[in-house]
Amino acid sequence: MPKFLKRLHWLDILILVILAVFVAVIWVRIDGTLNYKWRWDRIPNYILRYSTKYETWVPNVLLQGFIATIRISIFASILALILGVILGIARCSTNLTVRMLARTYLEFLRNIPPIVVIFIFYFFLSEQLITALNIESWARGIARQENNAVWEFLFGDMRRFPSLVSGIIVLALFESAFVGEIVRAGIQSIPKGQHEAAKSIGMGRIDTLRYIVLPQALKKVTPPLANQFITLVKDSAIISLISVQELTFKTVELVASTRLIFEAWLTTAALYFVLCFSLSMLFRRLERKSDQR
């Protein structure tokens, strides 16, 4: 702590003071002007509650939504990375048709508001896919089984599995456009001399891409990909609009039923901050270890 204080510049201290004054002013206006009655003592019960059935503490509304957000973010990021790598490779293809199809997909998603994209994918693709694969009846069958602990650990309540899948697919398809552009930039940053050197020793285009270009490109784009993953966590709040029961959706339900407006939303903001800041610190440490090798 003393080392941290020594590193603070006078400008840092000034900014912290300004922020503290800003928070104090907002607090006074809410408490005085709006005559709002704070009820922070009720918030912990909506994070954890004691279950008389299991005789232990179990997640309540906010923590359930927080866990669902983590699940959605992990699965959506994996799918977005796979699709993004494919799109990034397609953007650098020598085939004009493949290159233009990939570019059309990327430009379409990058130049349309996220909410519009979410609804388009949800109603025209995600719902159709779930119906075609009969995922809903399959998930209900799993939910009726007694030995479904592994499924519930991975996906939560299996009765809501179709909604979870919809959210993952929609979010991954949207984020894959940005991942694809990052991967494309990484591939194009590799010097042409390496392509020519690989060609001179008899390596084909696929082998060159697999063994030489992609390993270097992915290493270069790791920082922006990490940042995109954090952005994906925050963007996951958008899928609450299609009734995916993640943290934002649960917060809306909590506010509607309890009128704990400021307490619920400030707690939700704190949970998002803890998750995103922790990921930021983790990725920063991984980058430092990668640079030291």
Side-chain angles (χ1 to χ4, degrees), residues 37-54:
K37 185 178 179 181
W38 296 93
R39 292 173 290 172
W40 283 106
D41 57 301
R42 298 184 60 184
I43 289 296
N45 187 51
Y46 292 108
I47 298 176
L48 285 172
R49 66 178 179 85
Y50 187 80
S51 173
T52 54
K53 179 180 179 181
Y54 300 105

Side-chain angles (χ1 to χ4, degrees), residues 48-73:
L48 285 172
R49 66 178 179 85
Y50 187 80
S51 173
T52 54
K53 179 180 179 181
Y54 300 105
E55 296 184 348
T56 186
W57 291 93
V58 296
N60 206 350
V61 179
L62 290 176
L63 190 55
Q64 288 172 1
F66 184 67
I67 294 171
T69 294
I70 294 174
R71 287 194 183 104
I72 291 169
S73 299

Side-chain angles (χ1 to χ4, degrees), residues 113-279:
I115 295 176
V116 177
V117 174
I118 293 294
F119 280 116
I120 289 174
F121 276 135
Y122 177 68
F123 289 111
F124 292 99
L125 182 61
S126 180
E127 279 292 290
Q128 304 300 324
L129 183 64
I130 288 173
T131 303
L133 297 177
N134 202 21
I135 290 177
E136 189 169 354
S137 61
W138 173 81
R140 287 178 180 175
I142 296 292
R144 296 190 191 100
Q145 297 178 6
E146 294 183 359
N147 55 341
N148 61 353
V150 176
W151 290 102
E152 289 191 350
F153 174 77
L154 292 174
F155 304 107
D157 189 350
M158 290 302 295
R159 292 172 298 180
R160 294 170 181 163
F161 181 74
S163 174
L164 182 74
V165 171
S166 295
I168 291 171
I169 292 174
V170 167
L171 193 59
L173 288 172
F174 173 67
E175 295 293 337
S176 65
F178 300 92
V179 175
E181 278 297 280
I182 293 171
V183 173
R184 189 268 311 162
I187 291 173
Q188 292 182 343
S189 69
I190 305 301
K192 292 183 179 180
Q194 297 200 29
H195 293 266
E196 295 171 358
K199 187 176 180 181
S200 67
I201 60 174
M203 294 183 69
R205 180 174 174 78
I206 295 176
D207 287 337
T208 302
L209 187 67
R210 179 181 176 185
Y211 295 110
I212 296 178
V213 177
L214 273 183
Q216 295 182 77
L218 291 177
K219 186 176 180 180
K220 284 187 175 184
V221 301
T222 297
L225 283 178
N227 182 66
Q228 190 61 40
F229 177 64
I230 295 173
T231 302
L232 184 147
V233 174
K234 294 182 288 184
D235 287 345
S236 65
I238 301 175
I239 61 175
S240 63
L241 295 171
I242 56 175
S243 300
V244 179
Q245 299 198 7
E246 44 73 67
L247 182 55
T248 301
F249 184 89
K250 291 287 189 180
T251 305
V252 172
E253 286 188 331
L254 179 62
V255 170
S257 61
T258 64
R259 307 305 299 172
L260 297 171
I261 301 172
F262 293 104
E263 295 92 336
W265 284 115
L266 287 173
T267 303
T268 297
L271 290 172
Y272 275 117
F273 176 81
V274 168
L275 179 57
C276 293
F277 186 74
S278 300
L279 289 171

Side-chain angles (χ1 to χ4, degrees), residues 91-104:
R91 284 280 283 114
C92 302
S93 174
T94 55
N95 188 297
L96 179 61
T97 302
V98 173
R99 193 166 66 248
M100 291 305 298
L101 285 173
R103 183 172 181 178
T104 301

